[in-house]
Amino acid sequence: MSDNAAKEEYNMDHDNKHYSRCSSAGSTHTPNSSAHNSDDDDDSGDRHSTSAANSTLSYKERRREAHTQAEQKRRDAIKKGYDSLQELVPRCQPSDSSGYKLSKALILQKSIEYIGYLNQQKLKQEDESSALQKEVTALRIIQNGYENMLQHQQSNPGPEEARVTEEAKFQVFQAILEEMFDTFQHIPMDNFKQLTTGVIPWLEEHCKPHILRNILSRTLQQMAQETQEKQQQQQAMEQETGGGFS
DNA sequence: CCTGTATGACCGAGGTCACA
DNA sequence: TGTGACCTCGGTCATACAGG
């Protein structure tokens, strides 16, 4: 049977089904007359007339052919699914020259492997995305801190004599950077990922407020001591020069 | 609401065919 | 000759629908 013939027969059969339903709906048949179409009564043909037996036979024939066509349709759908899978999954595609086609079992197996690979890739990308999000958050916090400091300093410069000189600012900044660099240089930097994953723990461990406060305190003490020493030297020199005139 | 019927879909068994 | 793909058939289940 050709495909077209099969399709035509299928359509005709389909129409018959609709007709069957409509006639069933429109007729005044009793449950007994409906039961003539059931398979159960096929085996007890002697209870029916010859015409009834013929109608039962044609019904069985129709039912069988419809079943065959439906089965063909189902197989086609399954085959189409396998073909689609083979097109979608990279390792399922046949090589160009040979036209080699994988078996259905292999197509399923390769598809499962490919889905597993895609799942792994997805997890990996989610991890990377999460790490980058954390980094962005940390950098935003630092940025906000600096912006707040700058804003506060600009709005409250303080009295003239209390203002810190540029040199003093530089000394404090230098001290903080030098001390932090000692620890920062131990972060692995073979690649960008190592660097980004190392920066966050370093920030959390070495950039705590009390650490920065200690550095600042030590530096200020040292600067105060140096200033005091300078003042003492200056006073001594003034005394020497003043004593000479007196 | 319940029951009977028709229909579509799924599944397993068994057969056929092409191919390596 | 084994194997994979395909086909047919019968059984079964779920669902829609009509009628009581």
Side-chain angles (χ1 to χ4, degrees), chain A residues 12-77:
Chain A
M12 286 174 62
D13 192 64
H14 212 63
D15 291 342
N16 283 340
K17 284 167 194 165
H18 284 297
Y19 176 76
S20 175
R21 278 194 174 220
C22 289
S23 73
S24 166
S27 69
T28 57
H29 71 278
T30 63
N32 281 342
S33 65
S34 292
H36 288 171
N37 282 343
S38 71
D39 289 348
D40 294 343
D41 279 1
D42 290 339
D43 297 331
S44 54
D46 54 345
R47 286 195 284 131
H48 309 299
S49 65
T50 307
S51 63
N54 284 341
S55 71
T56 302
L57 191 67
S58 70
Y59 169 77
K60 279 194 73 176
E61 189 69 13
R62 279 207 323 272
R63 169 84 168 149
R64 188 179 61 79
E65 290 187 0
H67 181 53
T68 302
Q69 295 304 318
E71 194 64 25
Q72 175 69 55
K73 186 180 159 193
R74 192 178 72 86
R75 286 196 307 274
D76 285 346

Side-chain angles (χ1 to χ4, degrees), chain A residues 1 12-13 25 35 40 47 50 66 91 103 108-109 116 170 198 230-231 237 239 246:
Chain A
M1 183 189 299
M12 286 174 62
D13 192 64
D40 294 343
R47 286 195 284 131
T50 307
R91 290 184 62 195
S103 70
L108 285 183
Q109 192 181 334
F170 176 76
K230 278 182 185 174
Q231 284 177 348
M237 284 175 65
Q239 282 175 0
S246 61

